[in-house]
Amino acid sequence: MALGWTKHGDGKHLAPGEVVRPDERLTWPRMFGFGAQHVVAMFGATFVFPLVMGLDPNVAIMMSGVATILFLLIVKGKVPSYLGTSASFVGGVLAIRALFGGDTAGADAIVTGAILVAGLVLALAGVAVHFLGVQVINRIFPPVVTGAVVMLIGFGLAYVVADVYWPQDQWMALVTMLVTFVIVVAFKGFIGRIGILVGLVVGFLLSLAADRIFGMVPAYSDGVTNIAAHFRVDLAPVGEAEWFGWPSMHLPDFETSAVLLVLPAVIALVAENIGHVKAVGEMTETDVDPYVGRAIAADGVATVVTSAVGGSPTTTYAENIGVMAATKVYSTAAYYIAGVIAIAFGLVPKFGALVSATPSGVLGGVTVILYGMIGLLGAKIWIENRVDFADPVNMVPIGAGIILAIGPVKHLISGDFRLEGIALGTIVVVGGWHLLRVIAGRTPEPIRSDAG
């Protein structure tokens, strides 16, 4: 049953070594507190990434609540998880905006249309895994390939920091980055886990102070990027926004070239969902492997639903795994409550206007950390699976794909259709690795150096 929980003990206390399992709960006031904690844990990334992608943060927050409830129903309450905004789509979305007019209503529709199709593909992948087993994914996307795709998604966004955010206010970007460094490392536990959010808030407040003390940010030009003098924070839209109201939604539009730019993110989402389910199984000491396919499909369905109304792509959140590990409360009741709270947040337009007022310099300071962390997660996959880069079949296509993504290299196919950056790099990584495996016909010999 997806709904219906057994009270754990007296509903108030946990004995040493005990956990509250997904189908159990504590008293409802306590569960409300745990649900609110999950909302805070997911909050930072769930509204930072829509902001970076140019999507409405109010819609993203509200639909993350809808997506979470939908996910729990599809997995029959067996896999506790919060579905927040996925970072894996950022590079593809920014490439779409570059092709289709930037930050416009038309581009918004094309962005969400591409995300919707990617959600459909992810849902179909989940169905395949459910009926064929997770080994089918491992054959097509082994750790060497999955790690590479995750890495190029992160590092392929370096140009966004360098060309878009950092030049807007270089010193505030640097200060925000350093403040976030300190918060993430110096504070253990919950504050450290939401260090990105805290760093963003500190950067926002420092920007307000800097506007009062120093005035406008001076004009900037490096011969390529030209930025006029400007204040860091504009709070006028916050004052004009209503306290309560329906967020601004829109219908998707579909362009084939846009869809191709975000499809690489599906690989990363499959890997994220598999890892999430396995982590939950280990923490709760239960066998949830039969629900891997359902979890992937549920994430895909949730992404389809959210993007159909102008929301962001979704994924299972590691931040909330951290909360469960710290509290030993794995009850899905907390996630249903978190979903309802998030939906309520989405109905406060003034909140969305405040989020949208975040200065670009501050975003530069936090995204340089976020993108780097995403990239290094790819390396973590390689290390955990002991990928052998002495093998040229692994080293050659992976290295080439990452460079194409970081460039970002643009490859014109025909007319206005081109592949670039993350999409091009992913094709080279996946296609190149499988091609070289066929050519090698066996496990390739390690590269040996003549030196020494």
Side-chain angles (χ1 to χ4, degrees), residues 42-52 55 57-58 60-61 85 197 200-201 317 351 355 358:
M42 68 84 192
F43 211 65
T46 293
F47 80 70
V48 168
F49 289 124
L51 201 60
V52 172
L55 297 173
N58 264 53
I61 293 291
T85 302
L197 173 59
L200 186 144
V201 171
Y317 258 33
F351 163 75
V355 171
T358 305

Side-chain angles (χ1 to χ4, degrees), residues 55 180 292 348 382:
L55 297 173
T180 308
V292 169
V348 183
W382 290 338

Side-chain angles (χ1 to χ4, degrees), residues 47 81 157 194 202 222-223 281 302 393:
F47 80 70
S81 179
L157 296 170
I194 62 169
V202 172
D222 59 6
V393 170

Side-chain angles (χ1 to χ4, degrees), residues 20-247:
V20 179
R21 297 188 179 279
D23 60 349
E24 296 179 327
R25 66 169 177 85
L26 299 177
T27 61
W28 286 114
R30 285 174 171 78
M31 294 314 303
F32 183 87
F34 286 117
Q37 191 173 15
H38 280 302
V39 173
V40 173
M42 68 84 192
F43 211 65
T46 293
F47 80 70
V48 168
F49 289 124
L51 201 60
V52 172
M53 289 187 282
L55 297 173
D56 190 310
N58 264 53
V59 178
I61 293 291
M62 186 176 80
M63 293 308 296
S64 74
V66 174
T68 297
I69 293 171
L70 186 60
F71 178 92
L72 294 171
L73 291 172
I74 292 175
V75 299
K76 298 183 175 181
K78 300 295 184 181
V79 185
S81 179
Y82 194 94
L83 262 61
T85 302
S86 170
S88 301
F89 286 80
V90 173
V93 167
L94 294 175
I96 292 171
R97 291 195 179 279
L99 285 175
F100 293 97
D103 191 14
T104 64
D108 289 347
I110 293 172
V111 163
T112 49
I115 293 170
L116 190 152
V117 175
L120 285 173
V121 173
L122 181 62
L124 291 174
V127 172
V129 170
H130 182 70
F131 288 104
L132 301 177
V134 73
Q135 63 271 14
V136 69
I137 294 294
N138 292 333
R139 283 198 295 268
I140 300 172
F141 303 114
V144 61
V145 171
T146 304
V149 172
V150 173
M151 177 173 283
L152 64 82
I153 284 173
F155 293 163
L157 296 170
Y159 79 96
V160 179
V161 176
D163 297 341
V164 179
Y165 293 128
W166 203 276
Q168 297 281 345
D169 190 351
Q170 301 175 56
W171 289 107
M172 191 55 65
L174 181 63
V175 169
T176 302
M177 180 189 73
L178 294 175
V179 167
T180 308
F181 280 176
V182 173
I183 293 169
V184 169
V185 175
F187 290 89
K188 305 301 181 183
F190 184 65
I191 296 297
R193 283 197 295 274
I194 62 169
I196 298 292
L197 173 59
V198 177
L200 186 144
V201 171
V202 172
F204 195 113
L205 296 175
L206 289 174
S207 296
L208 283 171
D211 278 345
R212 289 180 175 273
I213 297 170
F214 304 111
M216 300 176 73
V217 181
Y220 169 86
S221 177
D222 59 6
V224 177
T225 303
N226 299 293
I227 298 170
H230 61 282
F231 285 107
R232 297 165 182 82
V233 184
D234 179 12
L235 292 178
V238 180
E240 296 168 1
E242 299 292 332
W243 275 106
F244 299 103
W246 198 257

